[in-house]
Structures are given as C-alpha cells and as structure tokens.
Amino acid sequence: MASGSLAYSEGGKLPPTAPEWAVAASQRLKKRREEGHQSLCAPPPGVTRVLLHSCCAPCSGAMVEEMCSSPALDEVVVFFYNPNIHPRKEYEIRKEENKRFCEQLDIGFVDFDYDPENWYARMKGMEYDPERGRRCTECFDMRMERAALYAHEHGFHAIATTNATSRWKDAEQVDASGYRAAARYEKLQYWCQDWQSDEMTLRKYEISAKQRFYKQEFCGCSYSLRDSNEWRKANGIPNIQIGGETAGLGDRYFSDPLVDAAEESQDVVDEFFSQANELAEASGNDPKKRKEALKVYKDRRKNEKNDGKVHGLNNW
C-alpha cells in the first residue's frame, strides 16, 4: 500500500544512557530503513483490505505505519468507535487527534457513533472490576463487535485493533475479543500479531514524539478515571487533568521516545496491575472498603509529583 505522506525515515538519536533494549531496537529499525523499509507485518492469507479499530492516535502510529508499508495490503481504514471514553471532552480530543493523523497520512477514517448510554448498560454490575477484568473484556467485545459488523457490511477482509499495541492491555484478552467478533461473519478474519515488540514500542513513541500527540492520563472510561484519581489521592499525586496545556502529572504531550517508552516498561505495567488486583481483592464492590484499602499506598512514592518519576501514570 502506498501513501505519499508516509515515510519510514524518522528516528530519534539515542543518548549514551539509553537502555540496551532501545539501542538494539533502534539499530534494527535503522537497518530496515537503510535497506528500504519493507513491513514485517504479515496479514492473514487473502487479506488486502483491513479495518483497523483505533483507540487513540499514540497507539495507532506504528501499527498504521506497518500496515501502510505492507505490499500485501491495498487499503487500511481506521475505525474510531470508543463509547467508553469519558468525559466527552476527552473523547473529542482523542478522536480529533486520530482524525488529523489519518488525514496527514491520506488514509480513511470512520467516525462512528458515540453511544455511552449503551456502553454503561453493558457494563452494569462491573463498575468496580479491576483493569483487565470482566469489564475490560466486555468493553473490548462491544467495540470489536461493532467494528466487525462495519467490516462485514463494507467488504473488508479483516479487522484489527490498536488496543493490541499497548503493554497496558492484555494482548490475549484483546485478541480473544477480536476473534469472537470476527467469527460472527463468514470470511471475516481477525488479524492477530505481536504488536508489542521492542521495535514497535520504540517506533510508536518516536512517532508520538514527532507528532506531539496528547498524552492521556488514564485508560478512558469513567471507572478508570475514578480509580486512577483515588489512587493518586492516596499517593499525594495531583488529579488527572482533561485537556489543556498542563497535565495532572508529567508532560501534556509526548516529546521524548525513551522517557515515554520507559513509562510503558514491563516493570511499571506489572506493578500497576499487581496493585489493582490487590485493591479489587481487598474491597470487592464496596467503595468504603476500597478507600480503606487505598490507605496502604499513602506513603508509596509520596514524592513522585516532585521528583519527575511519573512511572507511566500519565501514559496509557
């Protein structure tokens, strides 16, 4: 697939203190550029038209680039359907940034319905589930089901999702939703691939820094916003800020690929979900018990808001 606006020639210069994984990934990316970039992504057999569900521009960058660089594909269209994102202001910021990115690359963008009422109805009873729990599965299912229906109605051969690029997401959980959704329609496939490699992660942040994408501070839904702010309060960290030029914590926009990638390191991700699961087990669906359990973290990283160590709290 050709795109006049798309180039695989950028790449930040790494400082001497860059971690080994980033140096190795950067060298592999450089070699691929020098050899005339050919995408390493392999679409399923027979697939030439892909509908890519996108959650946000930062997660889209490297995945879109790989797909658009693939000689096997004729068309890639981004499908924006995310009724989970709250509040509406946050939704519009993420949507418009994604839309502008697609316009820059001259690829299709589908702005689908924002129907939060249906999303809340589907999530009923799971309001206090932890991240990566049942609620997240239902959220992925809802969005992928809508993407699969649109793909079926408009003759796409496969669906995929940028949710699979983020280490904050459980790739198996995301892929399972994709497979279930595609299975509803004959001949429609779900494109499953490892989109979380070191090369993809570094490239994602190179693109995000170049584009100065908005750095979102939570996953997207109102429950994630609530839980994140409660956790921040327990740690003495400022609340999440929606929009504006100043973030609640850290930078408002992506600017340094290595710093941004470090916020999504496996250690940071594992620690976050370990704590999320501890809170869920200790409090269940009881808000009072949750607040009591949060006191455990009162003294953890209490200087985080001042020492510059954001630990991924503003990079979802």
Side-chain angles (χ1 to χ4, degrees):
M1 176 181 175
S3 178
S5 303
L6 189 67
Y8 200 87
S9 58
E10 304 87 18
K13 293 182 180 179
L14 300 183
T17 56
E20 291 183 5
W21 74 264
V23 173
S26 182
Q27 290 174 345
R28 288 192 292 269
L29 288 171
K30 181 179 179 181
K31 183 178 180 181
R32 290 169 64 186
R33 288 194 289 269
E34 291 173 345
E35 295 175 349
H37 176 66
Q38 282 279 309
S39 173
L40 295 181
C41 70
V47 170
T48 61
R49 299 185 68 224
V50 176
L51 185 69
L52 175 61
H53 168 267
S54 175
C55 56
C56 62
C59 286
S60 299
M63 195 169 180
V64 167
E65 183 176 70
E66 283 294 300
M67 288 186 173
C68 289
S69 300
S70 172
L73 297 179
D74 295 330
E75 184 180 18
V76 177
V77 172
V78 168
F79 183 77
F80 193 84
Y81 173 66
N82 298 287
N84 56 307
I85 300 176
H86 172 89
R88 183 65 182 258
K89 181 179 180 180
E90 181 80 6
Y91 172 84
E92 293 295 338
I93 290 171
R94 299 190 191 188
K95 183 186 77 173
E96 290 303 317
E97 184 171 67
N98 211 325
K99 186 176 180 180
R100 287 193 300 272
F101 183 57
C102 289
E103 289 173 349
Q104 178 182 329
L105 301 183
D106 194 27
I107 62 175
F109 180 85
V110 178
D111 180 2
F112 215 66
D113 294 339
Y114 181 59
D115 55 347
E117 295 82 6
N118 287 332
W119 185 85
Y120 279 109
R122 187 157 177 170
M123 303 306 133
K124 188 174 182 180
M126 295 176 281
E127 293 85 353
Y128 287 94
D129 277 22
E131 295 282 346
R132 294 187 176 181
R134 295 177 305 149
R135 187 180 69 237
C136 290
T137 295
E138 286 295 331
C139 185
F140 293 139
D141 282 350
M142 182 175 182
R143 289 181 284 167
M144 294 310 295
E145 286 165 11
R146 194 62 61 92
L149 175 59
Y150 187 93
H152 170 71
E153 292 175 339
H154 293 82
F156 288 91
H157 306 138
I159 57 172
T161 177
T162 61
N163 280 311
T165 71
S166 174
R167 288 173 176 169
W168 289 104
K169 306 300 181 189
D170 182 335
E172 291 185 1
Q173 186 181 33
V174 172
D175 290 336
S177 290
Y179 280 121
R180 282 192 294 272
R184 291 168 171 257
Y185 306 100
E186 187 177 1
K187 297 182 179 179
L188 181 64
Q189 300 184 63
Y190 173 68
W191 186 350
C192 177
Q193 185 164 314
D194 179 13
W195 302 106
Q196 297 181 16
S197 66
D198 286 344
E199 292 95 327
M200 286 290 292
T201 298
L202 181 60
R203 186 64 188 138
K204 176 171 71 171
Y205 287 120
E206 286 180 348
I207 294 171
S208 293
K210 181 187 177 184
Q211 296 287 335
R212 287 194 80 245
F213 283 147
Y214 172 81
K215 189 179 284 188
Q216 54 218 38
E217 300 187 67
F218 65 111
C219 181
C221 76
S222 61
Y223 306 127
S224 172
L225 178 60
R226 175 203 64 202
D227 294 347
S228 296
N229 275 334
E230 286 183 353
W231 191 91
R232 287 185 176 208
K233 183 178 180 180
N235 282 271
I237 299 170
N239 277 354
I240 290 166
Q241 295 297 310
I242 305 298
E245 293 300 310
T246 304
L249 179 68
D251 298 328
R252 174 78 292 170
Y253 302 101
F254 288 94
S255 59
D256 186 322
L258 284 183
V259 172
D260 298 331
E263 294 173 1
E264 198 183 350
S265 73
Q266 200 61 54
D267 288 343
V268 170
V269 172
D270 289 345
E271 179 184 8
F272 176 88
F273 286 110
S274 174
Q275 293 184 7
N277 289 331
E278 286 177 9
L279 287 171
E281 291 175 2
S283 58
N285 293 331
D286 189 330
K288 292 182 178 180
K289 288 183 179 180
R290 178 179 174 80
K291 289 182 179 180
E292 188 67 27
L294 278 164
K295 291 180 181 179
V296 172
Y297 305 104
K298 184 177 180 180
D299 296 321
R300 292 191 185 181
R301 294 197 294 267
K302 60 184 178 182
N303 295 320
E304 200 164 40
K305 58 182 180 297
N306 297 318
D307 65 12
K309 297 179 181 179
V310 296
H311 292 282
L313 292 175
N314 67 331
N315 180 4
W316 278 80

